[in-house]
Amino acid sequence: MKIKILWALLALVIAGLIAVPWIASYFYIFIFTEILILGLFAASFNLIFGYTGMLSFGHAAFFGIGSYAMALVLIHLEWPFVVGLLVSMGVSALLALIIGFFCVRLNEVYFAMLTLAFGMMVFAIAYQWRSVTNGSDGLAGFSLGSFGLGLDLTLANPAVYYHVVLAIVVIASALLYLVCSSSFGMILRAIRQNPERVSFAGLNVRTYRLVAFVIAGSFAGLAGGLIAPFLRVASPELLHWSMSAEPILMAILGGTGYFLGPFVGSAVFVLLETWITSFTESWMLVLGIILALMVIFFRKGLLGTVLDWWMEIKK
C-alpha cells in the first residue's frame, strides 16, 4: 500500500511538471528546466556518492565536457539534437573511464583530491585551448536544428524545450533507477558499507567502482548536453571545481540515501537561489546560512526527513 501511494504521488508530480508550460510564465519554465537538468546532474553524482561511497570533487568535468560536445556538434556538424546528446554521453563516458581508471585505485580523501586534480586539469585545457573551446568566452552562437527520430519539434521554443528536457530526464532517471535497484546497485551499496568484505567475497571492488564512475559520468554528460542549448553557451565555468560543489550540496540537501533526493535538493537549491537573489545582493551569504541550517537539522536530507515524519504519522 505504501509503495502504491509513493508511485501515485510520483505520477502526480510528473503530471504537474508536464502542465508547467500551460499554467506558468516563461520565467518559471526556465526555472523548472534548470531544476530538471541540475537534478539529473545531481542524481548522476549520487550514484557514486550515495550508493558507492565515493566523494568526487571533479564531477563537473563530465558535465562540462558534455556541454562542449553538444555545442561542437551543433556548430560544426549540425547533427540532430538527439545525436548530440548521444555524443555528449559517449565523450563524457570516455573521459570518466580515463579519469576513473586512476581514481578508483584510491579511497576516501585521496580519491576526492585526485578527482579534484583531474577536474581542474580538464578546466585548464578548456580554458586555454582557444582554437577548439574559444577559451574563456566559451562556445556560443549555435542554433538548434531538428530533434531527430522523425519528430518535428521547435526546440527554440522554451515550452517545447522544457517538455523535451522533462521527457529525457524522466527516461534517464528510470534507467538510473534500474541500475540502482539491480543486483549491481546492491553490490555498490555493499561496497559503500564494507569494501573489504565485498573483496573477500571474490568480487573486484575496483571494477565495480570504475563501472559506476563511468555510468555516472555518462549521465552527467547527458545533463551537460541538455544545459548547453538551454544556456545557449558552453563555457569553462561549467567545468570549474565550484560547479562540482553543486551536485554535492543538492544530493546532501535532498537526501543521499534516497533516489529522488538529488531532485528534491535541486528544486530547493534553485528556488532558494532565485528567491534570495530577488531581494538582496548578498544572496550567497543568505543562501549559505539557510543551506547550512537545513543540512544541520535535516540529517537525512529534506526528502528523508519528510518520509520519516510521514512514517511516524502513519503509525
Side-chain angles (χ1 to χ4, degrees):
M1 179 63 70
K2 295 176 181 178
I3 299 298
K4 290 182 179 179
I5 293 175
L6 290 176
W7 279 111
L9 289 174
L10 181 60
L12 286 175
V13 170
I14 294 176
L17 290 173
I18 293 174
V20 165
W22 305 324
I23 61 177
S25 64
Y26 275 148
F27 174 77
Y28 286 102
I29 292 175
F30 289 129
I31 293 298
F32 276 92
T33 303
E34 183 179 6
I35 288 173
L36 289 171
I37 296 173
L38 293 181
L40 178 59
F41 181 33
S44 70
F45 166 79
N46 200 47
L47 177 64
I48 58 175
F49 179 57
Y51 285 86
T52 319
M54 300 186 295
L55 175 60
S56 172
F57 287 137
H59 204 60
F62 316 122
F63 183 68
I65 284 297
S67 69
Y68 271 103
M70 172 60 84
L72 289 170
V73 164
L74 294 177
I75 292 173
H76 300 291
L77 301 177
E78 297 182 355
W79 287 349
F81 178 79
V82 68
V83 177
L85 291 179
L86 294 176
V87 172
S88 295
M89 291 187 71
V91 172
S92 297
L94 179 60
L95 180 63
L97 178 63
I98 297 172
I99 294 177
F101 177 79
F102 298 99
C103 293
V104 298
R105 300 169 181 271
L106 303 176
N107 297 314
E108 299 176 351
V109 66
Y110 304 104
F111 171 86
M113 296 308 296
L114 189 56
T115 57
L116 174 62
F118 274 113
M120 291 309 296
M121 285 172 58
V122 175
F123 167 79
I125 292 172
Y127 193 85
Q128 298 177 14
W129 198 1
R130 293 194 62 87
S131 61
V132 175
T133 64
N134 202 29
S136 59
D137 296 327
L139 296 174
F142 49 84
S143 59
L144 292 175
S146 65
F147 176 80
L149 303 178
L151 298 176
D152 185 18
L153 300 175
T154 308
L155 296 176
N157 185 324
V160 173
Y161 191 73
Y162 168 80
H163 277 137
V164 168
V165 169
L166 176 60
I168 292 173
V169 169
V170 169
I171 295 171
S173 300
L175 293 175
L176 270 176
Y177 180 76
L178 290 176
V179 171
C180 295
S181 59
S182 66
S183 57
F184 175 77
M186 294 177 64
I187 293 173
L188 294 184
R189 287 191 287 270
I191 291 174
R192 179 195 64 195
Q193 295 174 359
N194 196 323
E196 290 80 11
R197 183 169 294 180
V198 174
S199 180
F200 290 154
L203 298 176
N204 192 321
V205 173
R206 287 184 182 175
T207 299
Y208 278 93
R209 282 177 168 172
L210 179 59
V211 172
F213 197 83
V214 172
I215 294 174
S218 65
F219 280 96
L222 175 60
L226 292 171
I227 200 71
F230 173 67
L231 298 176
R232 293 294 196 274
V233 65
S235 64
E237 284 74 17
L238 297 175
L239 292 156
H240 197 260
W241 69 267
S242 58
M243 191 68 197
S244 294
E246 291 195 13
I248 298 175
L249 187 55
M250 292 173 186
I252 294 175
L253 188 59
T256 58
Y258 303 88
F259 179 77
L260 294 176
F263 291 97
V264 175
S266 171
V268 172
F269 182 86
V270 174
L271 290 173
L272 272 177
E273 182 181 5
T274 303
W275 173 60
I276 294 171
T277 52
S278 65
F279 66 84
T280 178
E281 294 182 358
S282 304
W283 65 271
M284 293 186 68
L285 175 62
V286 178
L287 180 64
I289 294 173
I290 294 175
L291 294 178
L293 292 174
M294 285 184 175
V295 172
I296 291 172
F297 292 104
F298 296 87
R299 296 296 180 87
K300 292 185 178 181
L302 294 174
L303 180 61
T305 303
V306 169
L307 289 177
D308 282 351
W309 286 347
W310 183 63
M311 294 295 291
E312 288 295 328
I313 294 173
K314 295 294 288 185
K315 290 180 180 180

